[in-house]
Amino acid sequence: MTRSVCGRALGFPVELRYLATPVDELCRRLEVRNRQGAPGTAPVGRELLEECLRLFQAPGDDELALFDEPLS
């Protein structure tokens, strides 16, 4: 049996870092990744990315308030 312990209970800060990256940059990075064709990866095109982005919800201030401020 495994036991989950919150980092705060162990005295560590708990951070959430969210970076809002423009869609064009995400597409550029995916193009590079797709060209590399690393084992275990599947190609992701702009259409799939945009479909996923329609479902994604960036963290709001209320959610960010649940975490500690990043140390750096």
Side-chain angles (χ1 to χ4, degrees), residues 4-69:
S4 176
V5 177
C6 177
R8 282 195 185 111
L10 297 173
F12 295 100
V14 178
E15 301 175 5
L16 173 65
R17 295 186 182 222
Y18 168 71
L19 303 173
T21 305
V23 175
D24 288 338
E25 175 60 17
L26 295 173
C27 287
R28 185 195 67 75
R29 293 177 188 185
L30 282 170
E31 288 172 8
V32 171
R33 177 184 169 271
N34 291 340
R35 279 195 303 270
Q36 292 172 345
T41 63
V44 176
R46 186 178 191 104
E47 286 181 17
L48 178 57
L49 174 64
E50 288 179 351
E51 182 179 329
C52 292
L53 289 174
R54 281 192 291 277
L55 301 173
F56 177 74
Q57 295 179 359
D61 291 338
D62 56 334
E63 186 174 4
L64 292 172
L66 299 173
F67 298 87
D68 299 309
E69 289 290 321

